[in-house]
Amino acid sequence: MIPLPLIEKGKSVKIQKISGGRGFSLRLMDMGIKEGDVVKIINNSQGSLLISLENIRLVLGRDAAFRIFVKYAKE
Amino acid sequence: MCFKIALAGNPNSGKTTVFNLLCGANEKIGNWSGTTVEKKQGILTYKNQKIEIIDLPGIYSLSAYSIDERIARDFLLKENSDLVVCVVDASNLERNLYVVIQLLELGVPVLLDLNMMDVVEKNNIYIDIEKLKKVLDIDIVETVASQSKGIEILKDLILDNLKRKKSQGFKIDYADLEIHIEKIIHLLSEKNIGLEIPLRTLAIKVLEGDNDIFEQVREYFPQITEYKRQAEIEILKNHGDDLETFMIETRYTFLKRISDECMKKDASVKEVTNFSDKLDGILINKYLGIPLFLFFMYLLFQLVFTIGNPIAGLIDSFFSNLAEYVKMFCQNNNFPSWVGSLVSDGVIAGIGSVLVFLPNIMLLFMGISILEDSGYLARAAFIMDRFMHALGLHGKSFIPMLLGFGCNVPGIMATRTLESRKDRILTILINPLMSCSARLPVYVLFSSVFFPKYQGVVVFSLYFLGIILAILVAKLFNHLFFKSEITPLIMELPPYRIPTLRNISLSIWSRSSIFVKKAGTIIFLSVVLIWGLSSLPFGCEYAGEDSLIGKFGQLIAPIFKPAGFGFWQAAVALFFGIIAKEVVVGAFGTLFGASETGLNSVLVQYFTPLSAYAFLIMILIYIPCIATISAIKRETNLKWTILAISYSLILGWLLSVLVYQIGSLF
């Protein structure tokens, strides 16, 4: 498992684990991001990350993103 | 009888556009009781039926994180509206339905509006409406609000749904949890606890860990804690999840099934990179993002001033002509001289000096609503995130700061979207350091007199100084009061959209009318007050040293001596500038007995370039205007309000003294 911010731009990854507080993971779930989802990194060059899941574009602060562990999705 | 309905849905689902189409300009903006969160209400009259519509803040779910969301949730839970119209982005159906099924679980009557059907078509998605209707057991209407499509059908269905209220038996099967839900329902049916919520909903909310409701239930049934614990243990044992996660996942599984059944995507059409992503490739690019952002800001301010100023000039001459005319009229008709003076020197000149800014303000709000509606403002927050991090805040706080350049009041109100208390308070405290448009006339007046060649540089230096100070103050306060607790940043970027003319004009209208109202009330009263103090005691020279205002000014003037402007007129101007910063220019006009054009020659007798700059620094920083102070008070509490007032006064005084004293050495 790799923390999300270490993934380079353009790669798709599967969310393995969301750690760091229930509030945080519940918030993400409310917005439609949960364990098992495949997300794509759109921008990872200016601190916070921009990820996409289907039509959703989500900005995650770098600290927040370090609480999300992923593995590379098989294309 | 007037029906009451609410509009609910995710942020960026086009809810406000639907609201505008239903109510037009027939809306009323107030506040939710106890907060400054904007409450938008409107009236729809359709087929002789009056319907009151309430536009709720956008929510992703019924769990509340920010103040905005708490208001929407409380309204949906506790106020019995006759119907809730859920506006959803149909191109994101699965996720948007999440809050819809939560509402259905609540047992509230829901009408589903599948909005953005044009995007659905473009993405080659097919939605089986009939099937969806059946599964959810509610009426569904398809709309494209940005093109006003489907609104008539929506109105018909609203009316139809209101006339035949049917109870819904919508249920999600929570599998292993059902037995616990039943047990709690059984327990709750023993006593009425005064909540008008169906028992099953209550049980679900209790299990889900809704604190408000849990506490209310526990007052009557202390054993509920044990009930919940048992459910928790069982779910953890069988599924390895906590209760909330388990319930959310059950809902998503349910939604997944619905979307599999009712939605088909034509996979044969290859997905092209969508327009938003392409645009983002440029606009939030690592190298281009910030320069482009600065360019847009430059463009915005150019627009505000190059188009606004000529119109402002017209308004200005209209009011000075009017004042002149009224004075003549009063003289010719032998009115007592004070009547003419009050009406023309006081009321017309005073209110005129404020209304002059109306064109600038309307243009600024136009620019801001274009930035908002197009989806760019959220990108700006993303671009500036790194910078904001240096302040101990994150990108979302940047939006209120940007709005502060227009006016600090909407800037402060915009902090309501921030989830953490620390972020809200810090952002509110530094907001007055953003040079609002009311301070600009003072900068322009002084810089044109004392620095005609470097006017642009001088004005820019003040804006820049404000930003630098905001950084330092934020860092200091963060260190002093909050010890750097960090809240995770999660923010959705809406897709780019072309703003509709209708939404923009309605937004300009609703915000500018507040400004005009202010001119008619607060400014009116303060102007009459200044006039009165300048004219009393009877027989004194108007606005002379012996008038009440002159005496008052002489009392506080010595404080400003070390800053180079220790004469009473400056003290009076600063004092009344607290009412509204626009008043500073007008006050100098009245006090020096000169029109604003003649003011130039008088000012050089009192100020040197150095003391003029020190004065401008004071104007930038010292005490926020009354409207801002009361916004801070409503959003925070007395303690933070006093801090905001005192730090700005002390900082402003220190810096202007510092600049004047150091400058005097050379």
Side-chain angles (χ1 to χ4, degrees):
Chain A
M1 289 200 295
I2 317 164
L4 192 59
L6 303 184
I7 308 292
E8 57 272 50
K9 178 180 162 182
K11 288 278 190 291
S12 290
V13 290
K14 188 169 186 179
I15 298 179
Q16 296 289 101
K17 189 172 164 42
I18 300 176
S19 68
R22 270 146 68 96
F24 176 64
S25 64
L26 293 177
R27 176 83 172 143
L28 279 176
M29 284 179 94
D30 278 347
M31 295 179 84
I33 306 271
K34 50 200 178 304
E35 285 169 14
D37 283 344
V38 174
V39 299
K40 190 173 165 187
I41 313 288
I42 300 199
N43 192 316
N44 185 4
S45 57
Q46 26 206 21
S48 46
L49 275 77
L50 177 58
I51 62 170
S52 78
L53 174 89
E54 288 162 31
N55 287 331
I56 311 167
R57 302 285 173 275
L58 214 60
V59 174
L60 289 175
R62 208 168 183 80
D63 313 318
F66 262 109
R67 303 183 194 173
I68 300 176
F69 295 91
V70 298
K71 67 171 188 191
Y72 284 104
K74 289 178 202 102
E75 290 286 322
Chain B
M1 182 191 157
C2 183
F3 287 113
K4 197 159 91 176
I5 70 175
L7 286 188
N10 281 16
N12 306 311
S13 59
K15 215 160 41 66
T16 303
T17 312
V18 172
F19 177 81
N20 286 343
L21 284 167
L22 289 176
C23 304
N26 204 345
E27 61 167 30
K28 194 175 79 197
I29 295 187
N31 289 339
W32 293 93
S33 55
T35 66
T36 47
V37 176
E38 227 170 52
K39 181 181 189 180
K40 265 178 129 184
Q41 276 169 296
I43 301 280
L44 161 69
T45 312
Y46 188 65
K47 294 190 176 157
N48 293 321
Q49 178 62 55
K50 255 185 151 181
I51 301 166
E52 191 188 344
I53 303 181
I54 292 144
D55 188 15
L56 296 173
I59 44 172
Y60 291 102
S61 75
L62 290 182
S63 343
Y65 299 92
S66 69
I67 292 181
D68 252 21
E69 293 167 308
R70 200 170 317 143
I71 284 164
R73 189 200 72 144
D74 285 351
F75 184 90
L76 290 166
L77 270 178
K78 288 168 189 163
E79 307 231 355
N80 286 317
S81 47
D82 297 301
L83 181 68
V84 177
V85 177
C86 270
V87 183
V88 306
D89 171 0
S91 66
N92 258 326
L93 194 61
E94 197 178 320
R95 184 175 64 134
N96 271 252
L97 281 181
Y98 186 77
V99 71
V100 177
I101 63 165
Q102 276 197 308
L103 282 173
L104 287 172
E105 280 193 293
L106 272 185
V108 294
V110 174
L111 170 62
L112 183 58
D113 174 0
L114 294 185
N115 195 21
M116 307 192 180
M117 286 304 288
D118 54 334
V119 185
V120 172
E121 250 166 67
K122 228 173 54 200
N123 291 355
N124 294 299
I125 301 171
Y126 168 76
I127 301 175
D128 186 341
I129 308 278
E130 288 306 316
K131 205 166 202 174
L132 192 59
K133 257 188 207 169
K134 227 186 241 163
V135 180
L136 297 175
D137 192 28
I138 46 174
D139 278 334
I140 297 179
V141 54
E142 299 165 68
T143 57
V144 184
S146 56
Q147 299 163 22
S148 317
K149 278 187 194 159
I151 297 301
E152 289 307 309
I153 306 173
L154 174 62
K155 287 182 188 170
D156 274 331
L157 272 179
I158 288 176
L159 212 55
D160 198 45
N161 270 264
L162 285 172
K163 296 238 157 105
R164 53 164 177 92
K165 271 184 224 169
K166 56 171 186 174
S167 62
Q168 284 139 334
F170 181 84
K171 252 191 193 174
I172 289 177
D173 186 358
Y174 285 101
D176 291 359
L177 206 55
E178 283 298 330
I179 185 169
H180 295 277
I181 294 176
E182 286 304 322
K183 264 190 183 152
I184 294 179
I185 292 177
H186 190 73
L187 175 73
L188 291 173
S189 61
E190 286 170 16
K191 244 186 283 180
N192 184 3
I193 66 165
L195 277 174
E196 273 188 65
I197 303 173
L199 292 184
R200 183 178 166 87
T201 311
L202 220 46
I204 288 171
K205 287 274 133 202
V206 164
L207 289 173
E208 214 177 358
D210 186 308
N211 273 332
D212 297 355
I213 289 185
F214 185 75
E215 290 306 323
Q216 279 184 55
V217 169
R218 204 173 59 171
E219 264 177 47
Y220 292 83
F221 304 104
Q223 62 269 52
I224 195 76
T225 318
E226 179 56 27
Y227 276 59
K228 191 181 168 187
R229 210 179 57 87
Q230 278 174 14
E232 236 158 27
I233 290 170
E234 185 171 331
I235 295 299
L236 191 67
K237 200 175 73 195
N238 294 350
H239 300 268
D241 276 329
D242 59 68
L243 274 178
E244 284 148 289
T245 312
F246 176 76
M247 294 174 86
I248 296 176
E249 269 173 1
T250 311
R251 285 192 201 112
Y252 271 111
T253 317
F254 176 78
L255 284 177
K256 180 93 185 90
R257 217 191 68 223
I258 293 185
S259 83
D260 284 348
E261 274 175 31
C262 308
M263 223 170 69
K264 298 264 171 316
K265 200 170 163 140
D266 188 353
S268 64
V269 186
K270 248 200 133 190
E271 205 171 330
V272 276
T273 333
N274 72 43
F275 175 70
S276 275
D277 284 344
K278 270 190 207 156
L279 209 52
D280 271 340
I282 304 165
L283 291 179
I284 59 173
N285 179 282
K286 189 176 178 182
Y287 304 104
L288 293 175
I290 290 181
L292 278 172
F293 168 72
L294 293 176
F295 173 72
F296 289 137
M297 287 304 102
Y298 173 79
L299 218 61
L300 173 65
F301 281 90
Q302 280 297 313
L303 178 91
V304 166
F305 296 114
T306 50
I307 301 180
N309 286 351
I311 311 174
L314 290 178
I315 298 180
D316 194 27
S317 55
F318 167 78
F319 277 107
S320 42
N321 286 339
L322 185 69
E324 206 59 35
Y325 175 81
V326 169
K327 215 170 205 171
M328 293 292 286
F329 180 84
C330 290
Q331 267 169 14
N332 294 342
N333 289 283
N334 294 323
F335 286 168
S337 65
W338 66 268
V339 175
S341 169
L342 169 64
V343 178
S344 56
D345 294 339
V347 177
I348 297 178
I351 293 181
S353 72
V354 177
L355 285 185
V356 161
F357 297 109
L358 188 60
N360 299 82
I361 288 191
M362 286 174 74
L363 284 163
L364 188 74
F365 283 136
M366 182 182 86
I368 287 171
S369 74
I370 291 176
L371 289 178
E372 250 175 343
D373 289 2
S374 65
Y376 185 71
L377 209 53
R379 267 80 184 176
F382 175 70
I383 295 168
M384 300 307 283
D385 185 54
R386 185 177 274 181
F387 170 77
M388 297 300 286
H389 243 82
L391 280 66
L393 294 168
H394 57 57
K396 258 189 187 171
S397 290
F398 185 69
I399 294 172
M401 287 178 67
L402 196 64
L403 296 178
F405 280 131
C407 171
N408 298 133
V409 175
I412 287 167
M413 279 167 55
T415 60
R416 62 182 191 229
T417 54
L418 304 174
E419 287 125 37
S420 104
R421 203 180 80 94
K422 170 208 124 185
D423 288 358
R424 291 195 75 217
I425 291 177
L426 273 184
T427 313
I428 287 171
L429 287 177
I430 59 174
N431 207 286
L433 291 170
M434 302 288 106
S435 268
C436 66
S437 58
R439 276 168 264 187
L440 190 62
V442 191
Y443 300 164
V444 172
L445 174 68
F446 277 81
S447 59
S448 69
V449 174
F450 296 99
F451 314 97
K453 278 188 186 156
Y454 304 102
Q455 207 181 345
V457 182
V458 168
V459 173
F460 180 77
S461 73
L462 291 162
Y463 274 86
F464 192 69
L465 179 66
I467 297 171
I468 299 288
L469 289 173
I471 297 174
L472 297 176
V473 170
K475 285 204 101 151
L476 177 72
F477 285 174
N478 193 11
H479 187 74
L480 284 180
F481 304 117
F482 299 105
K483 298 172 200 91
S484 295
E485 43 179 285
I486 286 180
T487 43
L489 166 67
I490 311 173
M491 180 177 68
E492 191 183 1
L493 290 190
Y496 288 102
R497 288 185 191 124
I498 295 169
T500 66
L501 205 59
R502 195 189 178 97
N503 278 357
I504 292 174
S505 38
L506 280 172
S507 143
I508 296 173
W509 162 250
S510 65
R511 292 180 189 176
S512 311
S513 57
I514 294 173
F515 174 78
V516 173
K517 228 180 267 167
K518 173 177 145 196
T521 51
I522 301 176
I523 313 261
F524 171 79
L525 289 174
S526 62
V527 158
V528 172
L529 183 69
I530 296 186
W531 175 85
L533 291 176
S534 309
S535 310
L536 292 173
F538 287 112
C540 75
E541 188 197 343
Y542 175 72
E545 253 175 66
D546 295 324
S547 64
L548 285 183
I549 210 164
K551 292 202 170 125
F552 171 71
Q554 285 163 38
L555 207 66
I556 43 176
I559 304 171
F560 302 114
K561 206 161 180 75
F565 44 88
F567 46 91
W568 70 265
Q569 289 93 338
V572 167
L574 282 171
F575 182 78
F576 284 97
I578 298 172
I579 294 170
K581 300 292 160 91
E582 300 95 320
V583 175
V584 172
V585 173
F588 273 125
T590 328
L591 297 174
F592 286 135
S595 71
E596 278 172 31
T597 39
L599 207 52
N600 300 10
S601 50
V602 189
L603 282 178
V604 282
Q605 296 168 23
Y606 286 88
F607 286 97
T608 63
L610 180 62
S611 68
Y613 194 72
F615 184 72
L616 288 182
I617 289 179
M618 189 69 185
I619 291 289
L620 163 70
I621 308 166
Y622 91 109
I623 308 183
C625 71
I626 285 179
T628 307
I629 293 176
S630 56
I632 296 175
K633 170 71 176 52
R634 272 177 314 195
E635 296 284 337
T636 62
N637 58 31
L638 192 63
K639 188 183 102 190
W640 296 113
T641 313
I642 291 171
L643 177 68
I645 296 172
S646 46
Y647 98 77
S648 57
L649 182 60
I650 294 167
L651 186 65
W653 185 84
L654 277 178
L655 268 183
S656 51
V657 169
L658 204 68
V659 165
Y660 184 72
Q661 293 300 333
I662 293 177
S664 302
L665 297 177
F666 299 102

